[in-house]
């Protein structure tokens, strides 16, 4: 059996703003996983701008 | 996803509209559709994928001619012929209806009519029972059952090799499919888009920064491009090495098929396994050597130091300096408390006597020993006592490990010499086919070595690039930000970078966790189905190898074993997806993880035992099973194994226009049902009927 690991530990230990970026970007990618969205790169940039002002 | 029903109109063999084919679910989750070869089983399988994805399985021919031929001939010229498929399904508590329609206008000319394909219509049912259109069809269906994965859930039993033995280009598809279901794909995309965002903020840093910042960022941009290219090279290299290894393995198998040289190939396989074992042993040995040197190499460099230290301690003891008569900590406490142990005050401001006492006690500090130093000296003295023994033990271990390494290298050399001899014998074989196969094998084996070497060089280059990148980032951090705009760009870039690094680690850990769990699940299912002493091993690209636990080495698998492995793989994927969804996560919302399994002719290549095991296992592991079987595949053992879970049964009756048609029937329960009947007109077509009280 594989050993017990907390795979989200690296994010849990990150700075609060990095955690927020991670959650928002992963959710965005999940929502767009099955469709072509060329604007994703800009959305990610704007997300970071909004979080770090 | 749970499929409730399918209905076809003029689709391939099915003339007119079929009844609504209701599919079983719940406790009795198996639907069996009986039919002879060519009666429309594969057409039915493809109807599912055509409606949902517009795709067909590899074995399905003439995909541009979906309209039933009898419908084409019988429709008067100028009138519309409709060919359609409608699927009703449920996902996450919501009902959906997907319909695909082809329009054609019949002409008076002979031949296939010009077809106009309409888009798929997808509707979902609201709580008030109203059907409303779903506009983002591809994305909605993709979320329910990803397109990349559909061939693993709607599969042609006669063409399953690509799951367990994929070609080079199919390996990437397989890896992507598994990563999609285990939610690794969005993490990869997160990293990709964050890298783009990081570059964007670095450009901003450069725009608002000084000349040195601009220079360093320009240098970093070139390095980033080189890193990307190196990573692609490594990824391609890994794929090429795996594909080339497979090619060489297949050549070995072909040579082994010649009885007169089989013993030579067997011996070669044995020698290659021995070389692999020896290489693993050398690797392990080298790790032990590194650990030993890192832990205990000081013993080799400190020869004579312990005697000096012991002498020093001894002379300090002889001089009475340790243990010290009085400890500095004790003196300091007396001065701090301003009270001597004799009761005299040590406050120098009280009177001259107290001042003198304070001075006298303070002078003790010059001769008092430090407790820590003394403790450390005693501890070190004890530790260095056995250095000679430990040094001698280390030297023995080092000698032993070096001896093992030499022996293993010598064994490898011996094996290589024997391999060369075998190769020469095969090349000189009077059978021309064997000789040419061996020459080809040598060429391909040489290419394999070259690919391995190139991959090693690419990996070394990547390590150098990582060092260079670290250095550049250090310099950029040192310069820092020169103005507010650059400062914020710097922060945004640093955050993107932090998330990239953390996400890469999360991805690595998740991949490790799910890969281990998936492999374990595949092994358990394979063990419960197969009687062979083999263990499936999951490769990095998620393809599967079978390892012989008795004879060693990987084994070539038969079509039957491919099928058993495919079932093990699919059921493991379903199980892992369920587990994944059940785990609470801050990022991933819980999902419906009900998966259907639609299989055309799944039992053909299996022997009696495997057939029975597969039939019973699959109906338990998958949430819904729809299986199309021929009369010969529907054997007693399959029926017995599946019977408790069969909820619905259908029979496809093929109507043949041939006068000499042999009528065929199938007995299901107490009744017989026609599989082939004589057509009353000049057309061939198929009808489908439910078997009552299945």
């Amino acid at each position: 059996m594989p050993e017990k690991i907390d795979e989200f530990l690296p994010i849990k230990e990150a700075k609060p703003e990095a955690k927020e970026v991670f959650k928002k970007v992963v959710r965005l990618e999940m929502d767009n996983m099955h469709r072509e969205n060329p604007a994703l790169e800009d959305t990610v940039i704007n997300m970071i701008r909004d979080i770090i002002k | 996803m749970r499929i409730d029903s399918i209905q076809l109109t003029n689709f391939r063999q099915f003339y007119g509209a079929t009844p609504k084919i209701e599919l079983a679910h719940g406790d009795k989750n198996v639907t069996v559709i009986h039919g002879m070869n060519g009666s429309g089983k594969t057409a039915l399988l493809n109807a599912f994928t055509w409606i949902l994805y517009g795709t067909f399985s590899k074995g399905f021919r003439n995909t541009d001619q979906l309209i039933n031929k009898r419908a084409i001939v019988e429709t008067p010229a100028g009138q519309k012929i409709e060919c359609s498929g409608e699927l009703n399904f449920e996902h996450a508590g919501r009902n959906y209806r997907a319909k695909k329609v082809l329009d054609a206008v019949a002409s008076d000319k002979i031949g296939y009519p010009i077809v106009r394909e309409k888009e798929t219509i997808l509707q979902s049912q609201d709580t008030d029972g109203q059907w409303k259109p779903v506009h983002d069809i591809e994305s909605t269906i993709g979320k329910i059952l990803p397109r990349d994965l559909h061939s693993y859930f709607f599969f042609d039993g006669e063409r399953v090799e690509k799951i367990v033995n994929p070609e080079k280009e199919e390996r990437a598809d397989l890896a992507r499919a598994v990563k999609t279901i285990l939610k690794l794909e969005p993490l990869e995309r997160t990293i990709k888009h964050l890298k783009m965002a990081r570059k964007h903020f670095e450009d901003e840093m450069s725009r608002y920064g000084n000349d040195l910042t601009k220079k360093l960022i320009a240098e970093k941009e070139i390095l980033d491009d080189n890193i990307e290219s190196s990573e692609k090279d490594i990824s391609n290299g890994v794929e090429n090495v795996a594909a080339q290894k497979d090619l060489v393995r297949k050549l070995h198998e072909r040579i082994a098929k010649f009885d007169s040289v089989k013993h030579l190939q067997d011996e070669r396989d044995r020698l290659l396994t021995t070389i692999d074992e020896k290489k693993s042993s050398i690797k392990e040995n080298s790790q032990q050597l590194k650990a030993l040197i890192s832990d205990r190499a000081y013993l080799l460099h400190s020869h004579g130091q312990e005697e000096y230290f012991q002498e020093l301690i001894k002379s300090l003891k002889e001089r009475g300096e340790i243990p010290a008569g009085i400890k500095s900590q004790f003196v300091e406490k007396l001065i701090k408390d301003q009270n001597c142990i004799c009761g005299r005050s040590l406050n120098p401001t009280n009177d001259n006597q107290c001042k003198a006492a304070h001075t006298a006690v303070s002078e003790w500090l010059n001769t008092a020993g430090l407790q820590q130093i003394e403790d450390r000296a005693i501890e070190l003295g004890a530790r260095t006592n056995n250095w000679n023994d430990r040094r001698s033990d280390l030297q023995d271990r080092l000698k032993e490990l070096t001896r093992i390494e030499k022996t293993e290298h010598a064994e490898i050399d011996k094996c290589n010499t024997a391999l060369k001899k075998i190769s020469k014998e095969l090349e000189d074989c009077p059978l021309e086919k064997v000789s040419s196969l061996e020459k080809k094998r040598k060429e391909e084996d040489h290419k394999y070595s070259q690919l391995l070497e190139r991959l090693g060089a690419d990996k070394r280059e990547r390590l150098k690039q990582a060092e260079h990148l670290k250095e550049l980032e250090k310099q950029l951090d040192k310069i820092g930000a020169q103005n507010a705009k650059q400062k914020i760009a710097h922060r945004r870039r640093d955050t993107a970078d932090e998330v990239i690094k953390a996400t890469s680690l999360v991805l690595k850990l998740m991949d490790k966790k799910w890969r281990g769990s998936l492999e374990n699940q595949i092994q358990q299912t394979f063990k419960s189905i197969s009687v062979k002493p083999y263990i499936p091993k999951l490769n990095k690209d998620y393809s599967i190898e079978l390892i012989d636990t008795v004879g060693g080495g990987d084994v070539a698998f038969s079509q039957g074993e491919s099928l058993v492995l495919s079932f093990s793989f699919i059921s493991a994927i379903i199980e892992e997806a369920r587990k994944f969804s059940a785990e609470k996560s801050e990022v991933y919302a819980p999902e419906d993880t009900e998966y259907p399994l639609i299989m055309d002719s799944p039992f053909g290549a299996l022997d009696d035992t495997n057939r029975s095991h597969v039939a019973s296992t699959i109906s338990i592991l998958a949430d819904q099973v729809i299986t199309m079987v021929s009369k010969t595949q529907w054997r007693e053992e399959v029926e017995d194994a599946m019977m408790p879970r069969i909820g619905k049964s259908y029979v496809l009756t093929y109507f043949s226009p041939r006068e000499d048609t042999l009528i065929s029937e199938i007995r299901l329960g107490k009744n017989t049902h026609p599989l082939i009947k004589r057509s009353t007109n000049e057309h061939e077509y198929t009808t489908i009927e439910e078997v009552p009280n299945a």
Side-chain angles (χ1 to χ4, degrees), chain B residues 655-668:
Chain B
F655 290 81
S656 169
R658 280 177 56 171
E659 283 177 10
D660 57 347
T661 300
L662 286 173
I663 307 300
S664 176
E665 291 175 330
I666 186 167
R667 188 168 188 85
L668 297 168

Side-chain angles (χ1 to χ4, degrees), chain B residues 329-455:
Chain B
Q329 285 87 343
F330 174 70
V331 180
E332 278 161 5
K333 191 172 184 313
L334 293 181
I335 295 169
K336 193 184 162 201
D337 295 345
Q338 299 191 344
N339 269 316
C340 186
I341 43 169
C342 62
R344 187 188 292 275
S345 165
L346 295 176
N347 186 346
T349 57
N350 280 359
D351 54 35
N352 282 343
Q353 275 186 337
C354 291
K355 193 178 174 184
H358 179 268
T359 309
V361 170
S362 297
E363 277 171 2
W364 291 353
L365 274 175
N366 299 331
T367 52
L370 266 176
Q371 181 76 44
Q372 292 95 326
I373 292 174
E374 216 174 290
D375 289 348
R376 197 86 185 121
I378 291 164
E379 188 194 328
L380 277 173
R383 270 211 215 167
T384 51
N385 251 343
N386 61 353
W387 272 20
N388 263 337
D389 294 343
R390 292 181 66 206
R391 185 177 297 117
S392 151
D393 179 52
L394 172 67
Q395 281 163 341
D396 290 346
R397 282 289 298 135
L398 290 177
K399 268 184 206 159
E400 177 61 9
L401 289 173
T402 317
R403 187 196 63 76
I404 292 173
E405 195 176 326
K406 269 188 190 167
T407 314
E408 302 293 51
H409 276 297
E411 284 294 320
I412 291 176
D413 287 346
K414 257 193 222 170
C415 290
N416 279 327
T417 310
L419 282 171
K420 274 185 191 159
K421 212 175 144 196
I422 290 173
S423 179
K424 180 86 179 63
E425 262 187 76
L426 288 167
E427 267 190 285
D428 295 343
C429 177
L431 282 172
E432 204 181 311
K433 189 75 189 157
V434 171
S435 170
S436 68
L437 272 175
E438 179 54 21
K439 278 176 193 150
K440 173 88 180 141
R441 189 209 62 85
K442 260 178 92 176
E443 271 173 37
E444 299 302 338
D445 199 43
H446 181 61
K447 277 187 205 161
Y448 172 66
S449 305
Q450 284 179 322
L451 285 171
L452 262 184
E453 236 172 74
R454 199 179 307 156
L455 180 62

Side-chain angles (χ1 to χ4, degrees), chain B residues 250-278:
Chain B
K250 281 177 182 161
L251 284 165
H252 283 191
E253 282 165 26
R254 285 176 67 188
I255 292 170
K257 281 185 181 156
F258 292 87
D259 288 343
S260 58
V261 292
K262 190 178 180 300
H263 65 287
L264 289 174
Q265 183 53 51
D266 287 349
E267 177 59 7
R268 174 149 67 192
D269 289 344
R270 193 192 63 77
L271 289 166
L272 288 171
T273 308
T274 308
I275 290 179
D276 280 347
E277 285 166 5
K278 300 288 164 200

Side-chain angles (χ1 to χ4, degrees), chain B residues 90-107:
Chain B
E90 190 255 19
H91 181 73
R94 204 175 177 87
N95 291 322
Y96 290 87
R97 181 193 287 162
K99 188 170 182 179
K100 193 154 188 133
V101 185
L102 286 184
D103 268 355
V105 176
S107 77

Side-chain angles (χ1 to χ4, degrees), chain A residues 1 3 5 7 12 14-15 17-18 22-23 26-27 29-30 32-35 41 49 52-53, chain B residues 136 142 186 189-190 193 200 204 488 491-492 495 498-499 503 506 509-510 513 520 586-588:
Chain A
M1 278 297 285
E3 67 219 59
I5 46 174
E7 63 274 22
K12 284 179 184 165
K15 290 191 193 99
E17 49 199 21
F22 174 81
K23 280 187 193 174
V26 174
R27 276 188 196 139
E29 298 293 353
M30 292 279 289
N32 286 278
M33 204 157 74
H34 306 290
R35 69 161 80 98
E41 185 192 335
R49 280 190 199 287
I52 301 157
K53 285 177 180 165
Chain B
D136 202 352
R189 290 160 60 114
T190 297
H193 286 123
H200 175 90
E204 279 188 3
I488 193 125
R491 271 187 62 210
R492 286 168 178 160
T495 303
E498 188 182 357
V499 185
T503 313
V506 171
L509 291 169
M510 279 182 81
K513 173 179 170 172
N520 187 48
E586 287 181 52
V587 178
Y588 300 122

